[in-house]
Amino acid sequence: MNATSVRHRGFTLIEAVVSMVVVALMFTAGLAAAGAAARDRRTQTDLRLGQQLARELMTEICQQRYADPSANTIAPFAGISTTDRSNWTHIDDYAGFGETPPRDRSGAALTAKGWKWQSSVSYATFASFGGNAASGSGGSGLLGGLLGGVAGIVGAVLGTGGATDTGLKQITVTVTSPSGKVVTLSCLRCSSSAVDRVSTGTGFRSWAGVTMTVGSDQRPVQCGAPLLNTPAMP
């Protein structure tokens, strides 16, 4: 009888090493994708919270009057507290304001440490719609005036300002997260807004809002909007 040998083929050392390398590469790629997804979620969370804080501070500022009763200069009113905002009643009081962490008007913290918000106020310039074109706009008469006016308003929105009061102020709110993400919100406010209108009756409401607490940490959240049914200018 002839004996036939049977060969059993198994993994060689080279095949085992190659398999380990492939598994390691796949594991590394999976970790990188999970890390990127986690960073994206954190960035989105920071941006959403930054937008919420920026809207909250902007809403608070826009509830105030256009200017101090004394000389209209962009500076906090003399004698007011620099830390207690409960007695701030004019937009100019928020010029150069900065705080970390952000707090509401009563002093309650809105976020954890590491967040920061700031505000600035400046005069905004704009061209007249009376028919005169702005310099370099090309044109005259009604068309030139419209083009000049649009160019001037665009310049104001982009941050062009001056030292002279034009009846229009630009408010800029900047919120910075602990990771360095920045959210900026700008608003144009005129001297004839609903807040500055004089009521001849028993008064009127120009803004309505709500404050609520959310989450296990009972963090206060505030939102609101100006009312449209305001009386005409006296």
Side-chain angles (χ1 to χ4, degrees):
M1 296 179 61
N2 295 328
T4 303
S5 60
V6 179
R7 298 178 60 186
H8 297 282
R9 187 176 183 277
F11 281 107
T12 64
L13 180 61
I14 296 178
E15 291 172 332
V17 170
V18 171
S19 299
M20 293 176 61
V21 171
V22 172
V23 171
L25 290 176
M26 295 178 62
F27 184 73
T28 303
L31 287 179
R39 288 192 299 270
D40 289 343
R41 286 195 299 270
R42 180 58 184 270
T43 298
Q44 294 172 1
T45 301
D46 286 352
L47 291 177
R48 284 196 297 268
L49 181 55
Q51 293 170 357
Q52 175 185 316
L53 291 172
R55 287 193 296 266
E56 181 161 347
L57 181 57
M58 182 65 75
T59 300
E60 177 183 325
I61 298 175
C62 289
Q63 294 178 57
Q64 315 307 323
R65 296 184 67 86
Y66 177 80
D68 295 326
S70 59
N72 183 14
T73 57
I74 297 181
F77 189 70
I80 67 169
S81 172
T82 58
T83 56
D84 182 10
R85 304 201 311 274
S86 62
N87 62 345
W88 291 12
T89 57
H90 302 88
I91 291 176
D92 301 333
D93 296 335
Y94 292 84
F97 168 70
E99 189 177 49
T100 180
R103 300 178 180 275
D104 61 16
R105 298 196 74 181
S106 66
L110 299 175
T111 60
K113 294 181 179 179
W115 285 85
K116 177 175 64 176
W117 64 9
Q118 298 169 292
S119 63
S120 63
V121 182
S122 62
Y123 293 125
T125 58
F126 60 96
S128 172
F129 282 89
N132 295 323
S135 176
S137 63
S140 60
L142 178 59
L143 179 59
L146 290 174
L147 293 176
V150 172
I153 293 176
V154 170
V157 173
L158 294 178
T160 303
T164 304
D165 183 21
T166 59
L168 188 67
K169 291 180 180 178
Q170 178 172 333
I171 306 167
T172 303
V173 171
T174 303
V175 178
T176 306
S177 72
S179 61
K181 299 295 184 296
V182 178
V183 174
T184 302
L185 184 63
S186 295
C187 173
L188 294 176
R189 168 68 182 279
C190 70
S191 58
S192 299
S193 66
V195 180
D196 297 283
R197 294 178 180 178
V198 178
S199 175
T200 57
T202 58
F204 65 93
R205 302 288 183 180
S206 62
W207 183 87
V210 60
T211 301
M212 55 186 174
T213 56
V214 296
S216 58
D217 56 353
Q218 297 295 298
R219 184 175 67 249
V221 177
Q222 184 185 54
C223 61
L227 303 179
L228 301 179
N229 56 336
T230 56
M233 289 291 292

